[in-house]
Structure formats: structure tokens, C-alpha cells
Amino acid sequence: MDYARFFHSVTGCDPFPYQLQLGEGLWPNLLEVPTGLGKTAAVVVAWMWKVLNEDKQTPLRMAYCLPMRVLVEQTMDCGAKWVENAAPEFHRRGRVLPGVYLLMGGETEAKWVERPEEPSLIVGTQDMLLSRALMRGYGMSRYQWSIHFALLHNDALWVFDEIQLMGAGLPTTAQLEAFRRRLPLARPSRSIWMSATLNSEWLGTVDLQPHLATLQHLGLEQEETAGPTVKRRREAVKRLHQASTKVTTENQKQSAKNYAEALASEVAEKHVDGSTTLVIVNTVERCQAILEALNRRKISAETFLVHSRYRPAERLTVNRKLTESPASDGPGRIIIATQAVEAGVDITSRVLFTELAPWASLVQRFGRCNRYGELGEIGADIFWIDIEQGGKLDAPYEVASLDLARSKLADLPGASPADLPGIDEEAPLHPVIRYKDFRDLFNTDPDLTGFDVDISPYIRDADDLDVQVSWRDLSQGTEDQPLPQRTELCRASLSQAKVLFDRIRKQELWAYRWDSLDGKWRMFQTELFPGLVLMLDMKAGGYSGQLGFHPPSKDPVVPVDDGYASGETEIYEGDIRSHMAGDVTLTHHLSDAGAAAEHLLIAVKAGARECNAVRMAASWHDVGKSHRIFQATMHGCTLDEALSKGPLLAKSTLAGRHKRRHFRHELASMLAWVAHRSQEEESDLIAYLIAAHHGKVRLSLRSLPEENEPTPPFGPRFARGVWENETLPPVDGAKGEVIPTTLLRLDLMELGEGPMGPSWTTRTQRLLERYGPFQLAWLEAMVRIADWRASASETEEHA
């Protein structure tokens, strides 16, 4: 089967020449193609074909990054359908079929992380993906940050869709690509930036600028634009008018309601029965007000909203409606949307209203009207709504960008793609992450005040930052409430969330945040910041199934009853995988982890140096479980009985918290390795991989708040529940190795050179300098995944 036949079998369409070139040629860095010509299918199907043929230049993971949140599921559904259609060819050749995964926040399983040797299509927003690429993943456990970071920077093909909408995230994507070109990678990775309105100069950040001239560009060839299908779309009739309604400071002062009423009247007048009218405005608040105004008019056409402030259940309903076409003999439909429809939305309309926006955004919006030239000579009508300067009416855009777009609209005869001028606007100014700041993010410990570095300026513009909210029945309190699931989370802008929280506090209702240190919900009483996941009482209101997140709504919010998947949640001192249906001895688990590492390293085609360090770390990673604190938990006994109750256990049927706060067995494992094997080649690397295998002891080594202080004869130093001068008993390790009694020393906590040699900080900084963040995180991930696989096989044994 050649690529043209493969593309047709997967999509049901014959490929355009540029799609054929993408599948048969080398990967470009820049893909510039007009709207409606299948960019998403072009890159996804080409990636599948190249994975199928084991192309050495094609990474196993595709990270498909969308700037808007509203239709990530729609893109994922398309990807899943294409993968399903490709299954016969993958199976015929004996290849592993790519998995398709959605990144939307919430406590969801990430199977792609557990299978680094298998192809994966990962679809997510720039919030979810870029925050993980910066080692501060939104909406996930902080203890998983490093493994997501590793797999998104190694063996990953990043696809950035509709880059004109990415705002502050765009220079971040350029900087990350520059860092990957500069620093060692465990596996090659690459980036593709896509848009119908692409200006390569937007990528000219301080570190990528030297590479800008080498970026490969792919677009439509001249003869390709002359083909009947492309010609019909490029020359589709789209008459351009200025709307009578205008966003002014006057109607703003009288509230958005007046503007909404005026625009609703004009929209209702221009709507054509049996067709779709699309109204695109620049803020969710105006979007909601216009729908309410249309509903008050009791028009016969169906009306609904498209924006990013819905829970997934309601958003799926919106997605389903978008894929439907109105009956030609019916009243039609009027869709009111935000700029969310500019990216990844396959929709067309007979009439389009759009508020003034930057030129690149207007081009995208025009592409949602008579998209395929389906209206022939009848054509379609586009009405642009002017925005008066002042009163922050231009938000979320810059005044200069709106002025430039207004001047271009004044000279246009129509809005067909063939009539539209190119993109010459300079990229807006955004914060640019430099390597020193990026390197500092590799340390995942919060600072001494308990806070993390704020990465939001590198993810989204300040006006577009948000939090995630869920609603629960809290009449019985928060004690037994598990972490929220993706299906119940709704995104809210910081400003609108503040409006709601200020209102409910007057009702003595509160938001709650999960404390991962001790596994409890805590009342949230500080300033909001991006990436927060908060839980509200259903009585707080603030959400409507029709309008989405809506602070004025005081009706109780019906919780999403999704069973809450109320299994154990990860906390600092927890060891979720140490609890299972049968006992597993420490010797058995160390052997299983070593064997799992061997198989994983073969599967990912690891090099010799990688193999030795990962294999050894996996065989030693849990030696610290021989500590009496851990054994007391495994046997359910007192500390005095812990080492005489039976064999040393790595896992048992007993669940419970350790008798010492914040105890981390992996620190004891690392100290044992340093005590006995510090002269080994790559000793510091192996020590780091042992310590980091749960993501809880990594670059820094200090005690935590509320730790139990040592009692004589132990101490004086202590950290992560480990006391100086405690001992570990002899351990029968993997492959017959006997590890003798270990005296635990914590000289490594001190700065500078000490009795144990360089401090832990010195050692880890040297490793970071030598291997770089991408390669070091990859090795860390290999040990963790080997441990997970060993635990999974042991779970099956006791099933």
C-alpha cells in the first residue's frame, strides 16, 4: 500500500498534493495552508504512516497542541477515528497501533506515560501541554511532573495548531525547541507550527532566531491552488459589510445588556431560515449576554453557545450539535461563540457576525463562513462589528492590532481567501523564558514558603489565565471527598472566578484545595493563581448548563455523578503501589524491578550507558523499604516488632500511614547506595535515579514542615522522615546480591564537602549540567516505569 491509498483508507478522501508531500517527504517546521484544507488530517495521518514504516526521523509520540480549550475532544475524536481506520494496516504489518489520549486536567490515567516504547497521539491545550513541558503540569500530581516532562521532550513530535491564537505560549514553544536543539536528548524530537495565517518572524525568539533561516516551510504550490476543490474554497463568495451594532463605551457603561440586545436584534434580522448563523465575540461574558438576549426574543431558530467555560459533559453536547447540519426547511440555528471556534472547528455558516479582532484571527473567523464554497453564486454575508477604543473594550487584544485590522477591512471587496492580504503584523511582546529560568524549573520542590514558580506568563496572556472548578455535595463535609475527575472540572478565568468566590464568601461558603503533602482538602483563602484546581459546594452556584461558568447564577449546581473513581490519591508520604492483595517480599520486588528495567531498556532501544544506570537503580530502588518504619506499616505492628515479624516486605495487604510523618523510603535507599557503592562508575547518577523514583526526593534534600524530630540516640540531622544514625538491616537484593547492614548518615544535607563527599545539591547540579534536563528526566522516567511494571506484574500474580 502506498501513502495515497493509506490516506484514503484512513480519511475517506484523496490527499491534496501538500498532504501527499507531508506523508512521503521530510517533516517541515512550518505548515501554512488555508482553512478548510485538512491540516489536522495532514499531519496526523502522515505521522501514523511514518510510524507504521518505522521512519527514523519520526518520533513515537505526537503532542498535538491546541490554543483553545473548547474543542480538544473533537480533535481527539477525529484522531481516534483515523487510528481506528488505520488499524487493519497496522495489524497486517504486526505493528503496535497508536494510542489516542486526551490531556484536559483532572485526576485521569495517563497510559501513554506508562508505554514509552509505543506510539501515542496526545491531544491537549497549551495549558496542559506547555505546563508539563515546563515541569509544572497543571491539573495533575506534582509527583508526576518529571515523567511527563521527560516523555514530552524525548521522542516527541510537537504540533502547534493555529499559532496566531497562542499568545504568550508561542514564544515559549520557540524557546523550548531551541533548548532541545542545544541540549542533549535521549531521543530526537521536533516541532511543527501550523496556521492559515503564519508569520515565521513570530518564532524569532532570542534562542531560536539563529535557527530561523533553517526552518523548513510547506504550503500550497501554485498548481495546487488551481485545482477545482481548492479553487472553489479560495474563491468562495463572502460579501463583507460593517454591522450596524457597535461596541461602545456608552453601551458598556449601561452594561453589556444593551449591546447584547442591539446585536441580538440585528442577528435575528439577518438570519436565514434553514441555515447557520455564526456570531463570534471576544469575551465569554458578551457571548452569554447575547444568548440571553436572543432567548428573550423567543426566536424559532435553535440557539447555543460555544466557549471554553463548560464542564466536559455539557461541552460534548455542544460538540455534537456543531457536527449536525440544520434542516433546509427548518428555522435553522444561531451559534454564539468566542474565538474558541477559530481553531480546529470544522463548521460553516451562511451568515457570520464577528467583533473586530487582530487580522490573523479575522482570517480564521472568515474561514468559518461558506467554508467549502458550498453556497455557490448565492454566496454568504459577513458582518464585522467595530469596537470603540477605551474602557478596556478592546480586551483581550491590543488596540494597535485592532486598528491595523480595521484599516485592512476598509479596503476589502470581500472576504474570500483569495481576496485577503497576508499577515504582516509583528508578534506582540510577551515574556520569554530563558535557559537559566527553565533549568531552575527542574527542581520540583516548592520553595520554603510552600509556593512554586509561576509559569503562567509563559503559557497564556494575563487576561486568559484560569483555574479549574468542580462542584460537590459537601453537606457531610470534605473529609471523604476524592480528587476531582476530568468530567466534573470547569475552567474559569481568574477574574470571573474571583467574582464568584467574593460572592459566596458573603454566604460563608468556601473553595477548597487539595493538599498533596498530607492528603486533605484545605479551605482556600489566599489569592487565586493559574492552574489551581478547586472544589466548591454545589450550593455555591456559579454554573448553568446552558451558559457554562456564570458567577451571577445562584441556583445549586448539579454535581457530575461519575462515580468519582474514589481510589487512593497520591500524597507525599503515601505509597499507593505498596498496597495490594498479597504480600510481596522485598527481594522479590527488587528482582522484578530489575527484570522489568531490562525489558523496558530493550523495548526503547537504550544505549549501554543508559542501561547500566537504569538497571542498577531499579535493582536498588526500594532497599530503604527495609527500614523499621516501612516494615511496621507492612506488617501492621509496632516499631519494636517491625524487623522480627517476618520477611522484609515491599508490599502487603495492609494499608495505612507510616508511623512517622513524611517518611520516604527512597531517601533511605539512596543513602544505602551511597554508603556501599559510592565508588561505582556513575554512582551519583544511580543515587539520583534511586532517590527520584517517586518524584518526591529529587534535587534538594531538606526536612519538611511538621516532621517528627529525632529522639536520642538518633539525629541530629533528619529529612523526609529519615533520622541520622538509624540502621537498615541486611537485605537480600536482586540477582543474589547481599547488601549488608547500613548506618544512615545525612551529611549530604550540608553544603560543601563533608564526610560523605560532595553535598546532595552539588551532586545533583553536576548531573544536571552533565546530562541536561531532558536526558536526566528520561533516565528518571525509565526507572519509575520499570518500578510500575514490576508492581503491575505482582498485582496480577495476586489477582
Side-chain angles (χ1 to χ4, degrees), residues 54-120:
E54 299 184 321
D55 176 59
K56 295 188 185 310
Q57 303 303 314
T58 299
L60 272 181
R61 279 172 292 284
M62 174 180 279
Y64 198 102
C65 183
L66 287 158
M68 310 304 290
R69 311 169 185 94
V70 65
L71 289 171
V72 176
E73 293 103 334
Q74 179 173 308
T75 303
M76 191 202 74
D77 289 343
C78 289
K81 179 181 68 176
W82 296 329
V83 168
E84 182 181 357
N85 291 343
E89 186 64 14
F90 272 84
H91 294 154
R92 187 181 72 80
R93 298 202 200 178
R95 302 278 194 265
V96 176
L97 191 67
V100 183
Y101 305 94
L102 182 68
L103 277 188
M104 288 285 284
E107 199 67 6
T108 55
E109 290 187 80
K111 292 296 185 186
W112 61 274
V113 172
E114 300 178 9
R115 299 165 180 166
E117 74 275 35
E118 297 181 4
S120 299

Side-chain angles (χ1 to χ4, degrees), residues 63 71 106 195 305 359 385 425 465 476-477 577 588 597 659 676:
L71 289 171
S195 179
L305 299 181
W359 183 244
I385 304 162
E425 184 178 357
L465 299 174
Q476 303 301 314
R577 288 182 169 86
H588 184 55
K659 291 179 168 59
H676 298 296

Side-chain angles (χ1 to χ4, degrees), residues 171-172 175 205-207 430-434 437 458:
T172 301
Q175 285 295 95
T205 58
V206 60
D207 289 300
H430 294 293
V432 175
I433 190 166
R434 300 304 303 273
D437 301 314
Y458 309 123

Side-chain angles (χ1 to χ4, degrees), residues 355-586:
E355 290 184 347
L356 188 65
W359 183 244
S361 290
L362 287 179
V363 171
Q364 295 293 332
R365 297 180 186 190
F366 296 163
R368 270 65 192 170
C369 181
N370 196 13
R371 184 173 177 83
Y372 308 106
E374 71 276 5
L375 296 171
E377 294 182 0
I378 296 174
D381 292 282
I382 296 175
F383 299 85
W384 67 273
I385 304 162
D386 202 4
I387 297 177
E388 184 178 289
Q389 294 185 18
K392 296 184 178 179
L393 299 180
D394 47 283
Y397 303 118
E398 299 289 334
V399 173
S401 295
L402 299 187
D403 289 344
L404 181 60
R406 188 185 292 110
S407 67
K408 291 192 175 188
L409 287 168
D411 299 328
L412 280 180
S416 302
D419 296 331
L420 300 179
I423 307 301
D424 53 10
E425 184 178 357
E426 292 185 0
L429 294 176
H430 294 293
V432 175
I433 190 166
R434 300 304 303 273
Y435 179 63
K436 180 184 180 300
D437 301 314
F438 177 69
R439 175 184 161 132
D440 288 346
L441 291 172
F442 196 77
N443 188 348
T444 53
D445 279 345
D447 63 25
L448 294 174
T449 64
F451 288 95
D452 291 298
V453 176
D454 181 14
I455 61 167
S456 61
Y458 309 123
I459 302 288
R460 283 197 182 273
D461 296 331
D463 294 334
D464 201 23
L465 299 174
D466 57 24
V467 298
Q468 297 183 83
V469 181
S470 66
W471 289 262
R472 295 267 180 86
D473 180 357
L474 302 182
S475 57
Q476 303 301 314
T478 64
E479 185 174 344
D480 295 325
Q481 295 292 337
L483 286 176
Q485 304 299 298
R486 184 185 68 81
T487 52
E488 52 182 326
L489 287 171
C490 176
R491 291 188 172 275
S493 67
L494 291 179
S495 59
Q496 288 297 293
K498 186 177 185 303
V499 170
L500 175 60
F501 294 168
D502 287 346
R503 173 174 70 75
I504 66 174
R505 281 170 184 164
K506 296 174 183 177
Q507 303 170 245
E508 298 187 354
L509 295 171
W510 299 93
Y512 298 88
R513 183 190 183 199
W514 180 256
D515 185 340
S516 61
L517 196 60
D518 61 4
K520 293 181 180 178
W521 288 99
R522 302 288 187 190
M523 193 178 293
F524 184 77
Q525 296 178 286
T526 59
E527 288 295 314
L528 293 168
F529 56 87
L532 274 173
V533 178
L534 299 171
M535 178 177 69
L536 297 178
D537 193 311
M538 59 184 289
K539 294 186 293 187
Y543 187 85
S544 156
Q546 185 182 42
L547 299 176
F549 190 86
H550 190 53
S553 175
K554 296 182 179 179
D555 293 335
V557 180
V558 178
V560 174
D561 184 8
D562 202 25
Y564 295 146
S566 56
E568 296 177 88
T569 51
E570 189 167 19
I571 63 175
Y572 186 81
E573 61 197 66
D575 287 292
I576 295 174
R577 288 182 169 86
S578 293
H579 176 227
M580 60 175 54
D583 292 346
V584 178
T585 67
L586 183 52

Side-chain angles (χ1 to χ4, degrees), residues 242-247 251 258-259 262-264 266 384-386:
Q242 183 173 348
S244 302
T245 308
K246 183 177 182 180
V247 183
N251 62 32
N258 289 357
Y259 165 70
L263 184 57
E266 188 172 359
W384 67 273
I385 304 162
D386 202 4

